[in-house]
Amino acid sequence: MQLGRAFMEYRDNHDVTQQELARRTGITPGTIHHYESLIRTLDQGLGEKVDSGELTFKEARSIADIDDHVRQREIAQPFIDGRLSSVHVERIVGRAKTSATLSIEDIIEEVVNGKPAPELEPEPAPVIQRAIPVEADTALIENAVLKIAGELDAMQLQVIPEYRRLKLISSLRILDSRLKSALASLNGGVAVASAVPHQIGASTKVPV
């Protein structure tokens, strides 16, 4: 990690590319890239583990391919504890990248011991039910309209406070919109019905 920081610091101070630094030092551009990318992508705490020797460069470089730092720390812990060898790190990281929901312990069991990890079943797709049409209670509507009409007549004889008046205006505008929509629907229904010609029966007199 210190070498990666040194590469980045030198390039920043001298404004050189990785290729130019490789030419000056004799180190391959790929190696410089690996060290610098580790500084940018690896969790800072894991970087300290690399410096202390608790995590190898090979392990850190593979783990840095995981974007989530929390997941990085979960994967790194068995290697830091000495439970796992570096030979397993690439396969464990690869499995973790394809199965983000699997626990690290399940992945270790699968990679090291050959025990298939339990895959979570996908959630069933929600069932969309069709809306059931509701029939309007015309008798109830008639009674409600007559009651509201009486209340509106009485309201005109009252002094209504300002805060109540504004709310009432808003409610009446909503009611007005619904009434216009209902009237348009009813008038349209009458118009359609009247447009249908009467059937001529045997008893119907046809003017000559």
Side-chain angles (χ1 to χ4, degrees):
M1 297 296 289
Q2 292 178 353
L3 188 57
R5 296 188 191 97
F7 287 155
M8 294 177 67
E9 183 177 353
Y10 181 88
R11 292 203 309 110
D12 289 341
N13 292 338
H14 296 83
D15 193 23
V16 297
T17 63
Q18 290 180 347
Q19 288 74 15
E20 176 60 21
L21 179 59
R23 188 187 66 79
R24 295 182 184 184
T25 60
I27 301 173
T28 64
T31 300
I32 295 174
H33 171 74
H34 284 315
Y35 275 97
E36 290 191 1
S37 64
L38 203 60
I39 299 295
R40 297 188 183 95
T41 58
L42 188 66
D43 175 77
Q44 184 177 355
L46 295 182
E48 295 173 359
K49 298 295 183 182
V50 176
D51 288 336
S52 66
E54 297 174 78
L55 194 67
T56 68
F57 180 79
K58 175 184 177 181
E59 293 164 352
R61 188 175 65 182
S62 295
I63 293 170
D65 286 340
I66 301 293
D67 295 330
D68 184 7
H69 283 186
V70 174
R71 190 70 161 168
Q72 285 184 8
R73 292 193 292 271
E74 291 176 353
I75 297 171
Q77 197 59 50
F79 295 97
I80 295 171
D81 294 340
R83 292 170 49 202
L84 292 177
S85 167
S86 296
V87 297
H88 301 297
V89 66
E90 292 179 353
R91 291 183 60 199
I92 288 177
V93 168
R95 189 71 172 97
K97 289 171 71 174
T98 58
S99 300
T101 58
L102 284 180
S103 71
I104 299 304
E105 293 302 322
D106 286 336
I107 293 175
I108 291 173
E109 283 292 319
E110 179 178 289
V111 171
V112 178
N113 301 324
K115 180 181 178 181
E119 296 285 355
L120 295 178
E121 295 183 0
E123 295 184 0
V127 178
I128 301 176
Q129 297 181 347
R130 291 185 177 181
I132 301 175
V134 179
E135 293 186 3
D137 188 339
T138 55
L140 180 63
I141 293 174
E142 291 171 6
N143 292 332
V145 168
L146 293 175
K147 182 177 179 181
I148 291 175
E151 295 290 344
L152 291 175
D153 288 339
M155 178 193 68
Q156 299 179 46
L157 303 176
Q158 299 176 9
V159 177
I160 301 174
E162 181 69 15
Y163 74 95
R164 292 290 303 278
R165 188 173 65 84
L166 295 176
K167 292 180 65 177
L168 189 57
I169 290 173
S170 177
S171 299
L172 288 174
R173 284 176 176 168
I174 295 173
L175 178 61
D176 179 61
S177 173
R178 298 297 187 275
L179 287 173
K180 288 179 179 178
S181 176
L183 286 172
S185 175
L186 290 172
N187 289 332
V190 172
V192 171
S194 61
V196 178
H198 296 288
Q199 292 184 347
I200 300 176
S203 60
T204 305
K205 294 182 179 180
V206 180
V208 179

